[in-house]
Amino acid sequence: MSAFPDPFSPESAPPPPPGSDATALRVVSPGAVPASAAARAFNLQLTRIDKLKAQLAELDALAQSHRVELHRWVAPLQQRQRERMHEVAQALAGHLQGKALSRLQQETATELLCQLAQALADEGDTAMAALHDQHSRLTLAQKKQAAADALRARLEAVLGEPLADTDADASMEELLRAGMERLRTSRDEEQERRRAKGQARKARQKPGAEQAKAQAQQEDAETQLRTLFRQLASALHPDREPDAQERLRKTALMSEANAAYARKDLVTLMQIQLRAELADPAAVSRMADDRLAALTLLLKQQVAGLERERAARQQRLAGEFDLPPGQATNPNTLRHHLLAQVDELEAAVAQLERDLEQVQEPAGLKRWLNAQREQRSRPAQVRTDRDPDDYV
């Protein structure tokens, strides 16, 4: 297997759009005058925003690259595995039509056939679904309904109430959706009760000096954000532009500004202001420290939002690529997991090919079925030559 490319290499990462760096908005002190504490704090948050946005772009590039590698290495092996499973199932079905097998061998062959057919049917193989139902005491539909009923019972036990909004024959996916929605609702209701209780407690308390200062700074920040957006909306309103081409440009900028204001994205609003030539690039360097402090508060909130987005995206990718719990989504973990997937699939395909070779002839089939039955009845072996710390 050849080496996997590094998705974080400069060749893999998409180049940032021109003028997209938040640090282009930083405060620059004139001459040799040292920057004030407010200016340094403002510049620091801009740097953090650039870093987080770069990390999000890297995650996107990593995901795209890994999907290509999965298609290249894993998909062909999965197809070979399905083909061998199909062939083994068909071979078992053919032998079950004869009378050469003992009762125990027939039961073992039927059980193995149904397992293979069900696994393939779950991936959309209708022929295997029919073959399963032909040999199984319970049809796939009956098995799915039994599993759904068991899931409903577990969910209702956790929730402490029935899932009243779901049909009696709801699928497992529908039950999971309904259960998770009910859990989210319960969690949101509890959070709202705690929030209301906290607000009521704060309302009974007189705000201290620090709290009053923080509240005033937050109000100042919101006012500056709103003022900036209104200035953009006034200057970029497309209905006031007679030139058709310029109207299209302003429409695009206004749409971008609306989205940025909705998520309180100060950086993007300031960048739009510069791109539309509505502000002096050096104007931020002339701001008073109290105004910079208010804008820095908005930047800190934006940093917190980007950090939440990064964590959520890492979690989504970990789920998509089936990473073990607790593993971060990065090139090393994805590469190691991919190598493990390939090794596991290659071993599974090799075993299926050996199985297929044995089940072709009656004598080999009997030996194989006896071995399978013995393996299934054998208790799991626990190694006693390992130190307990090895499992920590």
Side-chain angles (χ1 to χ4, degrees), residues 221-235:
E222 297 284 351
T223 298
Q224 293 197 49
L225 186 71
R226 187 165 52 251
T227 299
L228 173 57
F229 174 70
R230 286 176 177 173
Q231 290 172 349
L232 286 172
S234 176

Side-chain angles (χ1 to χ4, degrees), residues 82-97 109-122 124-141 143:
R82 287 190 291 267
E83 291 170 355
R84 299 296 89 78
M85 291 170 65
H86 194 284
E87 290 169 354
V88 173
Q90 290 287 13
L92 291 174
H95 286 297
L96 284 171
Q97 293 177 0
T110 300
E111 183 181 354
L112 293 169
L113 163 64
C114 290
Q115 287 179 356
L116 290 168
Q118 182 172 349
L120 292 168
D122 288 343
D125 191 325
T126 55
M128 285 291 105
L131 187 65
H132 171 279
D133 290 352
Q134 178 184 345
H135 291 274
S136 176
R137 288 174 298 172
L138 293 176
T139 65
L140 286 173
K143 287 182 176 181

Side-chain angles (χ1 to χ4, degrees), residues 84-85 110 137 144 154 174 182 194 216 241 261 271 303 329 348 380:
R84 299 296 89 78
M85 291 170 65
T110 300
R137 288 174 298 172
K144 288 181 179 178
R154 291 196 298 272
E174 292 170 335
R182 187 69 193 91
R194 291 180 180 179
E241 178 56 55
Y261 182 65
Q271 288 171 336
V303 164
T329 307

Side-chain angles (χ1 to χ4, degrees), residues 274-299:
L274 293 178
R275 282 157 51 196
E277 299 180 351
L278 300 174
D280 179 3
V284 69
S285 298
R286 297 192 294 268
M287 285 184 183
D289 281 356
D290 58 344
R291 189 179 178 194
L292 277 178
L295 294 181
T296 301
L297 179 61
L298 291 173
L299 293 180

Side-chain angles (χ1 to χ4, degrees), residues 151-162 179-180 182-183 186:
L151 176 62
R152 178 189 291 275
R154 291 196 298 272
L155 287 172
E156 290 179 345
V158 171
L159 293 170
E161 60 183 24
M180 293 304 296
R182 187 69 193 91
L183 286 171
S186 298

Side-chain angles (χ1 to χ4, degrees), residues 87-271:
E87 290 169 354
V88 173
Q90 290 287 13
L92 291 174
H95 286 297
L96 284 171
Q97 293 177 0
K99 298 182 179 180
L101 300 178
S102 68
R103 181 182 59 83
L104 282 176
Q105 289 170 342
Q106 286 182 340
E107 290 177 358
T108 304
T110 300
E111 183 181 354
L112 293 169
L113 163 64
C114 290
Q115 287 179 356
L116 290 168
Q118 182 172 349
L120 292 168
D122 288 343
E123 295 188 5
D125 191 325
T126 55
M128 285 291 105
L131 187 65
H132 171 279
D133 290 352
Q134 178 184 345
H135 291 274
S136 176
R137 288 174 298 172
L138 293 176
T139 65
L140 286 173
Q142 290 170 331
K143 287 182 176 181
K144 288 181 179 178
Q145 187 58 51
D149 292 342
L151 176 62
R152 178 189 291 275
R154 291 196 298 272
L155 287 172
E156 290 179 345
V158 171
L159 293 170
E161 60 183 24
L163 288 171
D165 296 335
T166 57
D167 297 331
D169 58 348
S171 67
M172 293 189 69
E173 291 78 10
E174 292 170 335
L175 288 170
L176 277 174
R177 233 179 354 255
M180 293 304 296
E181 181 60 32
R182 187 69 193 91
L183 286 171
R184 279 193 294 268
T185 301
S186 298
R187 180 197 60 196
D188 293 344
E189 290 172 351
E190 177 61 24
Q191 289 178 346
E192 178 60 27
R193 283 193 295 270
R194 291 180 180 179
R195 188 188 66 80
K197 186 176 179 180
Q199 286 185 339
R201 185 171 58 251
K202 288 180 180 180
R204 294 191 297 268
Q205 298 173 349
K206 292 183 178 181
E210 288 296 324
Q211 184 179 355
K213 180 180 178 181
Q215 183 176 351
Q217 194 174 59
Q218 180 64 42
E219 292 174 355
D220 186 19
E222 297 284 351
T223 298
Q224 293 197 49
L225 186 71
R226 187 165 52 251
T227 299
L228 173 57
F229 174 70
R230 286 176 177 173
Q231 290 172 349
L232 286 172
S234 176
L236 298 175
H237 201 295
D239 292 346
R240 302 172 184 170
E241 178 56 55
D243 182 76
Q245 194 67 28
E246 185 65 11
R247 187 161 56 248
L248 288 175
R249 187 182 76 89
K250 287 187 175 181
T251 299
L253 287 173
M254 196 63 239
S255 176
E256 189 179 348
N258 283 327
Y261 182 65
R263 61 179 185 268
K264 296 185 177 181
D265 186 344
L266 172 66
V267 169
T268 298
L269 288 175
M270 294 176 71
Q271 288 171 336

